[in-house]
Amino acid sequence: MILTVTLNTALDITYRVPALRPHSSHRVTEVTERPGGKGLNVARVLAALGHEVTVTGFAGGATGHTVRELLSRTAGVVDALLPVTGSTRRTIAVVDAATGDTTQLNEPGPAITPAEWSAFQAAYEQLLRSASAVALCGSLPPGVPVGAYAQLVRTARALAVPVLLDTGGEPLRRGVAARPDIVKPNADELAELTGSHEPLRATRDARRRGAHAVVASLGPDGLLAHTPDGHWRAAPPARARGNPTGAGDSAVAGLLSGLVEGLPWPARLSRAVALSTATVTAPTAGDFDRAVFEDLLGRVTVTPEVSAA
């Protein structure tokens, strides 16, 4: 079983409009709702790849009830979310059909009490005992300590469970120091962590700070990986046009599935880029186009980054 942690779960609501114009009223042509938050997105992709997945984190209020009800319809995903008194947040994505651009509005999430945080830590440790790997994903809701991911990384390491960390800001800085097996920042998160806007230098610096391996997401340019086994750039054969929502989460699913399957790093990176690109081109935000994914698997370019030594 692969475990994904989403401390700040969400109900993702997507509105599609013919064209988005500021200071105007809009007629919505399509509305979709789905369980959201980075770890839930990762779990959905892992399940589609055939892996057994359990999701944990927090869910509360009417929105949390809706998230759990929708999650129950997702084949291959087991719900181990913990109930809280606060209400799960909503995220609103407005898709401009004319341009394909997306405008995102993210609520902060419910306030988590000390008792709720303690209950989660106990449940998390128990779930880890049957996990082959764990992904810690996304932002922290109010009330959760800023060092939460560092603590969760240490718990996973104590139980010899490989851990992937995908977050940003101070939670990332503290989490890296706890020595996760993989961190997957995007270019902005990596620059904030290291102070360098040059990805190659920044990935080396992030690894020196404690991460066993660093895989930086460079958007349409693919991934840059700095690992104990080597250093690579992985890129799709051409830039994809579409909605990038969830593309980074699909990349995490590719990396994590490759880890538990024992794939070498180039194959993990190829899968991650193919999944990420297939998510951009999918008609529904956050899904991946399986035909595109399978077509891209053999066409992703993975090249050694010899100057990374």
Side-chain angles (χ1 to χ4, degrees), residues 95-117:
V95 179
D96 185 324
T99 65
D101 292 337
T102 301
T103 299
Q104 192 86 14
L105 304 173
N106 297 329
E107 295 179 356
I112 304 301
T113 68
E116 289 166 343
W117 173 237

Side-chain angles (χ1 to χ4, degrees), residues 198-200 218 223-225 231-235 269 301-305:
E198 201 292 301
L200 188 57
L218 306 180
L223 300 173
L224 176 63
H231 321 297
W232 295 274
R233 286 184 186 264
L269 297 169
T301 302
V302 182
T303 56
E305 191 62 62

Side-chain angles (χ1 to χ4, degrees), residues 50-77:
H51 288 275
E52 295 181 3
V53 192
T54 295
V55 298
T56 191
F58 299 113
T63 306
H65 176 78
T66 300
V67 165
R68 301 189 79 164
E69 196 278 327
L70 292 172
L71 194 60
S72 70
R73 306 178 197 173
T74 306
V77 176

Side-chain angles (χ1 to χ4, degrees), residues 47-261:
L49 293 173
H51 288 275
E52 295 181 3
V53 192
T54 295
V55 298
T56 191
F58 299 113
T63 306
H65 176 78
T66 300
V67 165
R68 301 189 79 164
E69 196 278 327
L70 292 172
L71 194 60
S72 70
R73 306 178 197 173
T74 306
V77 176
V78 174
D79 175 3
L81 296 170
L82 273 69
V84 293
T85 55
S87 184
T88 295
R89 67 188 176 127
R90 297 161 297 177
T91 68
I92 311 296
V94 183
V95 179
D96 185 324
T99 65
D101 292 337
T102 301
T103 299
Q104 192 86 14
L105 304 173
N106 297 329
E107 295 179 356
I112 304 301
T113 68
E116 289 166 343
W117 173 237
S118 294
F120 171 81
Q121 291 179 82
Y124 168 74
E125 182 171 351
Q126 189 61 37
L127 288 166
L128 281 175
R129 297 184 184 281
S130 56
S132 56
V134 58
L136 309 175
C137 304
S139 61
L140 301 178
V144 172
V146 71
Y149 282 137
Q151 180 59 53
L152 299 183
V153 168
R154 286 191 289 268
T155 302
R157 286 181 56 81
L159 294 171
V161 178
V163 55
L164 183 152
L165 177 61
D166 182 15
T167 189
E170 185 65 12
L172 173 61
R173 188 184 71 79
R174 298 196 187 194
V176 165
R179 304 186 65 80
D181 294 87
I182 305 172
V183 295
K184 196 217 70 66
N186 61 33
D188 290 340
E189 292 163 346
L190 187 63
E192 183 180 1
L193 173 67
T194 65
S196 174
H197 290 272
E198 201 292 301
L200 188 57
R201 177 181 299 170
T203 53
R204 288 200 302 265
D205 184 46
R207 190 158 173 249
R208 291 190 191 105
R209 291 168 183 256
H212 191 64
V214 179
V215 181
S217 176
L218 306 180
D221 294 325
L223 300 173
L224 176 63
H226 193 289
T227 84
D229 300 327
H231 321 297
W232 295 274
R233 286 184 186 264
R239 289 198 172 200
R241 180 175 177 81
N243 185 351
T245 301
D249 303 329
S250 291
V252 168
L255 294 171
L256 204 59
S257 62
L259 184 155
V260 300
E261 293 171 29

Side-chain angles (χ1 to χ4, degrees), residues 10-28:
L11 177 64
D12 288 346
I13 304 169
T14 302
Y15 295 133
R16 184 173 292 272
V17 298
L20 183 61
R21 298 181 302 274
H23 316 299
S24 301
S25 296
H26 296 79
R27 185 173 296 278
V28 176

